[in-house]
């Protein structure tokens, strides 16, 4: 439980340039200057590589000239270890009230074995702010990034829409007779009619409103479950999918069991437009999908409730083994920032950022995980300069 009130963002700092962030960026709540006060963005870098990649995303947002005001919060393991606070009292209400969007890094730190802070902050945001649609675009930017033979960028452009507030992640269940040979662990899988219906409808609406990058329409929505084994929950998903799809006769429907889907994602990822699925299957298949686009360091996501303050985060976690070494790929976080700007109606800025990341990948101005030789901050700097249209020195 929180022990003391949370710190609030401080007044605007003078004169922050695009590439230089203040020394206290990682620890304190600071507010970055903005061109105007139009879009208010809360930044929570969190733990591990989140603290390295989010500053790069912030640099790039600033370089894009987006009309935003950015405030940073220090929620994460360091803060929790210092004062026992995971989420300050009223924290989620404050985010909803005072911000248009939230950009998050990652949570998880080996010093907090229970992972309680990650659970309370990240799952807290998803559940308590009811961010029910986890949207994870899967796009191949360059042929060199895909481990599959003969697959080109035009072949991989699909979106996984993961239910984000139910399933096995609600922590319903319990352990009985713990530590005895008769121990029993129960993990409940919660599926409500309302929850299943709204995520499936979101998937169809998304298909209608978001054409592929090449401008072609998304014609198919695939629902993935394991209804042959998990009959009760699967039955509900099957019935709702059939009902809701009736409202969208122009969109084809496909069904696959999750195991078959994993195989098909490797055999032929060309066939997918939109995949909608539950919380756990969505979590698992998006790591597989990330591998198709160059790995976890390249994957972006949004946690969305239409009309409410939504939260955006790279798909990767805090990656403690590479944290603090300037090795983490910042492009997942940067593409996440672009997705957030697009969501806020700043489509031009989002496009500029995506184009700059594409150029970086094509010119191998990347971190090692995707074939380059740059560090996190150098790769971020390169993209920021490209976005700003400034000269790129050879050393970068
Ligand atoms: P979580 O459970 O929080 O999702 P995880 O344990 O599944 O986290 P990550 O923390 O995402 O996994 O990282 C797993 C591995 O993937 C890392 O150890 C690292 O090798 C690689 N990885 C993840 N993100 C990045 C990145 N941005 N750049 C480079 N490598 C990364």
């Amino acid at each position: 439980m929180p022990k003391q009130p949370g710190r609030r963002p401080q007044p605007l700092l003078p004169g922050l340039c695009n590439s230089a962030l203040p020394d206290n960026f990682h620890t304190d709540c600071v507010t970055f200057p903005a061109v105007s006060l139009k879009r208010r963005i809360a930044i929570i870098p969190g733990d591990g590589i989140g603290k390295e990649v989010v500053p790069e995303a912030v640099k790039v947002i600033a370089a894009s000239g987006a009309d935003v005001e950015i405030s940073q919060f220090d929620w994460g393991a360091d803060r929790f270890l210092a004062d026992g606070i995971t989420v300050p009292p009223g924290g989620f209400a404050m985010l909803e009230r005072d911000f248009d969007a939230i950009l998050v890094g990652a949570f998880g730190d080996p010093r907090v074995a229970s992972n309680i802070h990650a659970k309370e902050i990240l799952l807290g945001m998803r559940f308590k702010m009811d961010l029910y649609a986890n949207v994870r675009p899967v796009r191949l930017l360059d042929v060199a990034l895909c481990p599959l033979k003969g697959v080109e960028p035009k072949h991989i452009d699909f979106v996984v829409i993961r239910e984000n507030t139910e399933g096995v992640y609600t922590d319903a269940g319990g352990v009985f007779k713990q530590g005895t040979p008769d121990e029993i662990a129960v993990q409940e899988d919660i599926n409500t009619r309302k929850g299943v219906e709204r995520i499936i409808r979101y998937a169809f609406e998304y298909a209608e409103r978001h054409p592929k990058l090449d401008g072609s329409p998304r014609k198919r929505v695939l629902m993935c479950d394991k209804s042959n084994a998990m009959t009760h929950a699967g039955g509900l998903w099957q019935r709702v999918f059939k009902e809701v799809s009736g409202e969208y006769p122009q969109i084809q429907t496909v069904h696959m069991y999750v195991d078959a889907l994993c195989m098909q994602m490797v055999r032929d990822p060309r066939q997918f437009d939109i995949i909608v699925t539950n919380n756990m299957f969505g979590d698992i298949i998006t790591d597989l999908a990330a591998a198709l686009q160059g790995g976890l360091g390249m994957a972006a996501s949004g946690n969305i409730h239409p009309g409410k303050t939504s939260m955006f985060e790279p798909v990767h976690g805090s990656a403690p083994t590479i944290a603090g070494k300037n090795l983490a790929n910042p492009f997942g976080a940067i593409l996440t920032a672009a997705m957030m700007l697009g969501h806020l109606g700043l489509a031009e800025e989002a496009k500029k950022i995506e184009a700059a990341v594409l150029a970086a990948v094509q010119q191998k101005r990347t971190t090692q995980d995707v074939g380059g030789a740059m560090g996190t901050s150098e790769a971020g700097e390169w993209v920021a300069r490209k976005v700003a249209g400034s000269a790129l020195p050879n050393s970068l």
Side-chain angles (χ1 to χ4, degrees), residues 253-293:
T253 57
V254 186
H255 169 258
M256 277 186 202
Y257 298 126
V258 65
D259 40 356
L261 174 66
C262 290
M263 188 179 68
Q264 288 300 329
M265 279 171 69
V266 175
R267 285 189 62 175
D268 184 11
R270 279 168 269 236
Q271 62 189 293
F272 305 116
D273 281 350
I274 300 279
I275 298 171
V276 61
T277 190
N278 70 20
N279 209 338
M280 183 170 70
F281 297 152
D283 190 0
I284 296 168
I285 65 170
T286 49
D287 268 29
L288 174 52
L292 299 175
Q293 60 185 139

Side-chain angles (χ1 to χ4, degrees), residues 49 53 106-108 115 118 122 136 283 287 294-299 314-323 327-333 367-370 376:
I49 63 170
V53 297
F107 297 95
N115 221 21
L122 194 58
R136 297 186 165 189
D283 190 0
D287 268 29
L296 280 171
M298 295 298 298
V315 171
H316 63 74
S318 59
T321 50
I322 59 166
L327 286 173
N329 184 347
F331 290 176
T367 45
Q368 292 168 23
D369 57 308
V370 283
T376 309

Side-chain angles (χ1 to χ4, degrees), residues 64-123:
S64 77
D67 209 359
V68 295
E69 178 190 284
I70 294 178
S71 304
Q72 185 183 324
F73 295 86
D74 63 353
W75 305 359
D78 289 340
R79 169 88 187 264
F80 175 67
L81 290 168
D83 63 14
I85 290 179
T86 55
V87 179
F92 296 131
M94 176 274 298
L95 289 176
E96 279 188 330
R97 185 186 61 237
D98 296 343
F99 293 95
D100 299 306
I102 307 157
L103 180 64
V104 152
F107 297 95
D109 186 306
R111 294 171 299 166
V112 185
S114 65
N115 221 21
I116 178 74
H117 71 295
K119 238 181 189 174
E120 289 193 5
I121 299 170
L122 194 58
L123 293 186

